[in-house]
Amino acid sequence: MRVISKLKWCALGVLVLSIVSSIGHVIFAKYSSPDLVHYGALNVFTNDLSLTVGSRQSPGYRKLWGNVKLLQSLLPYSNPRTAYPDPSERSNGFIYAKIFGGFEKIRTLIADLVAVSRLLNATLVIPEIQESSHSNGVSSKYTSFSFLYNEEQFIAALKNDVNIVKSLPPKLKEARRKKQFPTFKPTCSASPSYYTDEVLPVLKKTKVIGLVLSDGGCLQNKLPPNLVEYQRLRCRVAFHALHFRSEVLELGHKIVQRLRASGQPYLAYNPGLVRDTLAYHGCAELFQDVHTELIQYRRAQMIKQRIIKEELTVDSHARKLNGSCPLVPEEVGLILRAMGYPQRTIIYLAGSETFGGQRVLIPLRAMYTNLVDRTSLCSKQELLDLVGPEKPLPEDSVQPPPAKSVQQLKEEWDKAGPRPRPLPPPPDRPFYRHEKEGWYGWVAEKDVEPDLSLMDLRTRAYRLLWAALDYIVSVEADAFFPGFHTDGSGLPDFSSLVMGHRLYELASSRTYRPNRKYLVELFRSISDHLYYPKHNWTLAVREHLNKNLGEEGLLRDLHLSKPTSFLSYPVPECSCRTADSAEALGSLFGDIDECPKWMDRGVLVTLQENSANVNETQEEEVELDGQLESDEIRATETRASFDQDEEMDPDD
C-alpha cells in the first residue's frame, strides 16, 4: 500500500510540474513570438522613421507620405474650353456595343466608346459587359452594365456630351436579335477617319450599327490637336461619369475607413502578376513548377492567336534585366525598407489576380506584418452581399479519372516534352477532391486547358467587383507603388489606370513611378547579399524613387504610358495650373492652360500654407538625413546572421 501511495504522490508531482511548464511556455510564446517570426536579416534596415510618422507635420511623415511640391499647382479641369455644342436631337442613329475583357479593358473601352459616339453624332445604347452577362450565372438583380457601374449617374453626367439610352426601341431590338444590323470590330489603333469614312456612312444608311470591342480600346490614344476636346471627354467619362454602383462604393469607402482607423496612413501596392501579362513578356522561368507550365501554355495560345510574334521559349532572366517583367513582392519589400518605411506600415494588396498565390507573398509578408487585402478587411457576408442573390449552380461531382494501362502510361511518357511536369498522385494514395477542382489541376494530365465551367465564369465576373474595390482603395491611398506598369504591350493595365486617376484628381499625391530596368540592375549588384545591402545601395534606391516622383518619372511615363493609354497620363489636356506656376510646370507639360479664377483662389491659400510648413521643417529634415545615415552605417556594422528555411506549400 505504501508503494502505491508513493507512486500516487510522484504522479501528482509530475502533473503539477507539467502544468507549470505549460503555463511557462504559453507566457514565453506570448511575449517573444513577435520577434521570432520575422527575418533576422531585416535588422540591417533601420526602423528610424517609425517614431516620426505619428505627426503629419513631422519630417519623417513628409519623407514617406508627403505630397510632391512640384505638382501641387496642377489641378483637375476637364471641362470644354472651346466651342462645344450640346448633342443634336437628330442623331445619325444608334450604336450598341458588346465589350469583352477585364476591368482595365472595360474602363478604357467605355471612355473610347463615348468619344466615338460623339464623333459620329450617334445615340449610345448602354454597352453590355460580357464578363458579367447573365450567361455567366451572375445575379439577375443587375443588368450587364449595372453589375459594376451606376447607369443613372453615367447618363446624367454625359447629358451635355452624348445622347444615351438604356436600350434600343422595341422594333429595333427585335431586328437586332435577327442580326439585321451591320457589326464592326475596331481595334485600339482605329483613327477618327476610320469612323468618319467607313462607319458613319453605314450608320446613316442603316440607323443602327453594332460594335464588338475586345482590343482594350476602340480609338487611337493620340488624337490630332483639333480633337483635343475628345481627350477631355475621355477624362469626363473615366473620372466623373463612370461611378461604381452604390454597394461597391459603400464597401470600398468602408475599407478605406478601416485602413485609416488607427490614424496612420497606408500604402497601396499592386503586384501586377497577371498570367496574360507574364505570358506576353515571357516571364515564365521566374516561377516554378506548375506556374511555369501555365504561363507557357498561355503564351502558346497568344502565339497561335497572333497576339505575340515571337518564339515560345525566351530567356526570362534577360527579359527581367530589360525591365519587361514585374518586380516580385520580395523586391518591392526590400525597396520599401530601403526607402525607410517601418515594419508596421499598413500595405494594402490591390489587384483581383496575383499569379502564384500566397506563396510569392511570403517574403513581403515577413517584412511587413500589416499586409492586408479585401478578404482580411471585409467579412464573407459583406462580399456576398456585394455579389447579390444568385441561382445555385448544378452539382458537378468530380470523379477520379479511369485507370490507365501500362501501355498508355508508357506512350504518354514518351510523348511528354523535355519540360518537367508535376507528377500525378501515386496510385496507392487516395484521390483528393481538391486535386481535380484546383484551377491548375488539368496540367498534370492534359496538354489542353479545359473549357471554363459555370463556376469559372462566375468567378471571372466577381473579379470585376474585386478590382473595383481595389481601384477605389488605391486611388484614395496615401501612397501607391506599382509592381508593373507601362509594360509596352499597348494594353491598359490596372496600375497605369490608378496612376492616371491619381495624377488627374490629386497630381501631388505620392505615386511612385519606378524604372524596373534600373532597379533590377541595382538588385543584381547585391544578389549575393540581398538582405545586407550597403549604405550606398540604399541611397541609390531612395534617390531614384524620389526623382521619379516628379519630373523624371513623369517625363518617362509621357513617352511610355501616354502613347498606349491616354487615361494613364491625362495631362496636360485634362488639367490646369495656378497663375504663379507657369515656369515650373511649363518645362514639364509645355503650354498648359491656366485655371479659372474661381479655382485659383482656393488653391493659393493651401499652397502658401504648405510652403510655410516646408520652410519650418527643412532644418529638421537635414538633421533626420544625418540620423538615417549614421543609423544605417551602425546597423550594417552590427548585422546578425540568420537563415530561415521554411517549407512552403506549393499549392498556396
Side-chain angles (χ1 to χ4, degrees):
M1 293 295 293
R2 292 180 179 178
V3 174
I4 296 175
S5 178
K6 289 181 179 180
L7 288 175
K8 288 182 178 179
W9 281 106
C10 289
L12 180 61
V14 172
L15 180 61
V16 171
L17 289 175
S18 300
I19 294 173
V20 172
S21 176
S22 300
I23 294 173
H25 277 83
V26 170
I27 295 174
F28 177 77
K30 179 179 179 180
Y31 292 101
S32 62
S33 59
D35 297 326
L36 295 176
V37 296
H38 304 136
Y39 284 102
L42 299 182
N43 293 331
V44 303
F45 294 104
T46 59
N47 288 331
D48 41 19
L49 299 182
S50 58
L51 299 177
T52 60
V53 175
S55 172
R56 291 184 177 268
Q57 297 301 329
S58 66
Y61 182 92
R62 295 181 63 84
K63 278 183 172 293
L64 297 181
W65 308 101
N67 292 340
V68 181
K69 184 181 177 182
L70 172 67
L71 302 177
Q72 284 182 338
S73 54
L74 188 66
L75 305 177
Y77 186 56
S78 58
N79 293 351
R81 303 173 204 177
T82 59
Y84 192 80
D86 290 341
S88 173
E89 294 182 1
R90 298 182 59 184
S91 70
N92 291 322
F94 292 92
I95 292 180
Y96 65 87
K98 181 170 287 190
I99 297 176
F100 296 86
F103 176 84
E104 304 83 10
K105 284 186 177 182
I106 289 171
R107 197 169 181 86
T108 304
L109 279 165
I110 293 175
D112 287 359
L113 182 60
V114 172
V116 169
S117 299
R118 170 85 187 187
L119 181 67
L120 300 179
N121 187 27
T123 299
L124 175 63
V125 180
I126 292 284
E128 299 175 14
I129 300 173
Q130 184 63 25
E131 288 278 26
S132 60
S133 64
H134 296 308
S135 61
N136 291 357
V138 174
S139 172
S140 58
K141 180 180 177 181
Y142 309 106
T143 61
S144 178
F145 188 86
S146 65
F147 180 74
L148 192 59
Y149 294 110
N150 186 328
E151 286 187 355
E152 302 300 332
Q153 166 66 21
F154 182 72
I155 295 173
L158 298 173
K159 64 181 180 180
N160 296 325
D161 299 295
V162 179
N163 293 319
I164 303 177
V165 295
K166 292 187 177 181
S167 63
L168 288 170
K171 291 183 180 180
L172 297 179
K173 192 183 296 186
E174 183 63 28
R176 180 192 171 184
R177 289 196 190 98
K178 298 178 180 179
K179 299 182 179 180
Q180 295 179 357
F181 301 125
T183 302
F184 295 86
K185 297 181 180 180
T187 64
C188 59
S189 60
S191 64
S193 59
Y194 165 78
Y195 288 100
T196 55
D197 296 344
E198 298 187 30
V199 179
L200 183 57
V202 179
L203 176 63
K204 288 182 176 180
K205 181 179 179 181
T206 62
K207 295 302 179 182
V208 181
I209 62 167
L211 298 179
V212 178
L213 309 175
S214 60
D215 199 30
C218 60
L219 182 65
Q220 65 186 34
N221 289 282
K222 187 176 181 180
L223 297 178
N226 63 316
L227 296 179
V228 66
E229 291 297 348
Y230 288 87
Q231 300 288 49
R232 297 190 184 108
L233 176 56
R234 278 171 160 167
C235 291
R236 291 196 293 276
V237 175
F239 307 134
H240 298 282
L242 280 179
H243 284 198
F244 300 112
R245 60 180 165 93
S246 58
E247 296 89 346
V248 178
L249 280 176
E250 182 181 354
L251 186 55
H253 291 148
K254 277 185 180 179
I255 295 175
V256 174
Q257 291 173 3
R258 291 165 185 172
L259 286 166
R260 290 183 173 150
S262 63
Q264 296 296 326
Y266 72 93
L267 179 144
Y269 161 56
N270 174 237
L273 297 174
V274 181
R275 184 185 176 194
D276 283 5
T277 303
L278 296 168
Y280 183 91
H281 293 285
C283 305
E285 295 298 337
L286 302 181
F287 291 81
Q288 298 177 355
D289 303 329
V290 68
H291 298 100
T292 297
E293 289 290 329
L294 288 165
I295 294 173
Q296 286 297 90
Y297 180 85
R298 181 64 184 131
R299 183 173 173 84
Q301 284 183 320
M302 288 182 163
I303 293 174
K304 188 176 181 180
Q305 296 167 359
R306 298 185 179 180
I307 299 174
I308 301 176
K309 299 179 181 178
E310 297 178 333
E311 296 294 329
L312 175 62
T313 304
V314 294
D315 188 346
S316 298
H317 297 284
R319 295 294 176 94
K320 176 81 172 179
L321 290 173
N322 192 37
S324 298
C325 294
L327 295 169
V328 296
E330 181 182 20
E331 294 170 337
V332 172
L334 293 171
I335 290 171
L336 295 179
R337 297 294 292 182
M339 288 295 294
Y341 285 94
Q343 194 171 15
R344 296 297 181 183
T345 300
I346 301 173
I347 299 179
Y348 182 83
L349 185 69
S352 59
E353 176 186 354
T354 300
F355 191 80
Q358 293 297 320
R359 179 176 181 173
V360 299
L361 297 173
I362 289 175
L364 178 61
R365 201 176 295 278
M367 297 183 220
Y368 289 95
T369 54
N370 288 330
L371 179 66
V372 295
D373 59 11
R374 63 185 173 276
T375 60
S376 55
L377 294 170
C378 301
S379 65
K380 290 184 178 180
Q381 189 59 46
E382 285 178 319
L383 297 177
L384 287 175
D385 291 342
L386 188 66
V387 170
E390 295 178 327
K391 296 180 181 179
L393 295 174
E395 293 187 4
D396 183 18
S397 58
V398 179
Q399 300 294 333
K404 298 180 181 179
S405 64
V406 177
Q407 183 64 25
Q408 286 177 320
L409 292 173
K410 185 176 184 306
E411 290 177 357
E412 290 182 3
W413 179 265
D414 294 337
K415 292 179 180 178
R419 302 182 64 80
R421 293 175 177 273
L423 296 176
D428 295 335
R429 201 187 77 180
F431 175 83
Y432 296 111
R433 184 181 182 88
H434 74 272
E435 292 174 344
K436 298 304 298 177
E437 290 185 337
W439 60 279
Y440 55 80
W442 60 272
V443 178
E445 298 181 353
K446 303 177 182 178
D447 292 326
V448 179
E449 188 169 0
D451 295 333
L452 296 176
S453 65
L454 287 176
M455 192 62 212
D456 293 330
L457 294 172
R458 187 175 280 186
T459 302
R460 283 196 171 191
Y462 293 167
R463 284 185 181 178
L464 296 178
L465 297 176
W466 311 152
L469 292 176
D470 293 345
Y471 188 86
I472 294 170
V473 178
S474 298
V475 171
E476 294 287 335
D478 299 275
F480 179 76
F481 193 99
F484 198 51
H485 75 294
T486 61
D487 61 351
S489 65
L491 299 175
D493 61 88
F494 184 88
S495 291
S496 294
L497 288 186
V498 169
M499 294 166 74
H501 197 147
R502 290 169 65 89
L503 181 61
Y504 170 80
E505 194 166 283
L506 186 60
S508 61
S509 60
R510 183 162 289 260
T511 303
Y512 290 104
R513 296 177 174 84
N515 183 338
R516 293 186 301 276
K517 184 176 181 181
Y518 177 79
L519 289 174
V520 169
E521 286 292 339
L522 287 181
F523 278 112
R524 192 180 183 186
S525 67
I526 61 165
S527 58
D528 295 334
H529 45 88
L530 196 62
Y531 284 90
Y532 307 115
K534 295 183 179 179
H535 179 59
N536 58 352
W537 186 89
T538 301
L539 292 180
V541 172
R542 289 183 181 177
E543 181 183 9
H544 168 71
L545 290 181
N546 287 329
K547 280 185 177 180
N548 279 269
L549 282 170
E551 183 174 355
E552 190 172 310
L554 287 169
L555 288 175
R556 182 172 176 272
D557 282 358
L558 174 64
H559 298 293
L560 295 179
S561 295
K562 193 164 187 172
T564 58
S565 176
F566 173 78
L567 294 180
S568 67
Y569 199 94
V571 292
E573 293 87 348
C574 299
S575 301
C576 63
R577 58 167 178 80
T578 55
D580 58 345
S581 60
E583 184 177 352
L585 294 179
S587 61
L588 183 58
F589 299 113
D591 187 16
I592 183 171
D593 295 339
E594 184 177 334
C595 294
K597 297 297 182 183
W598 60 269
M599 293 180 62
D600 211 8
R601 292 171 188 167
V603 176
L604 187 58
V605 176
T606 305
L607 292 179
Q608 289 174 347
E609 293 176 354
N610 291 336
S611 178
N613 292 332
V614 171
N615 292 333
E616 290 176 0
T617 57
Q618 273 184 342
E619 294 182 1
E620 297 177 7
E621 290 183 1
V622 172
E623 294 178 1
L624 182 65
D625 285 336
Q627 181 185 352
L628 292 180
E629 293 182 8
S630 61
D631 287 346
E632 286 174 353
I633 293 173
R634 185 163 57 253
T636 305
E637 292 173 351
T638 60
R639 62 194 176 199
S641 173
F642 183 84
D643 296 327
Q644 179 169 333
D645 185 12
E646 184 177 351
E647 185 177 355
M648 299 180 182
D649 186 357
D651 293 333
D652 283 344

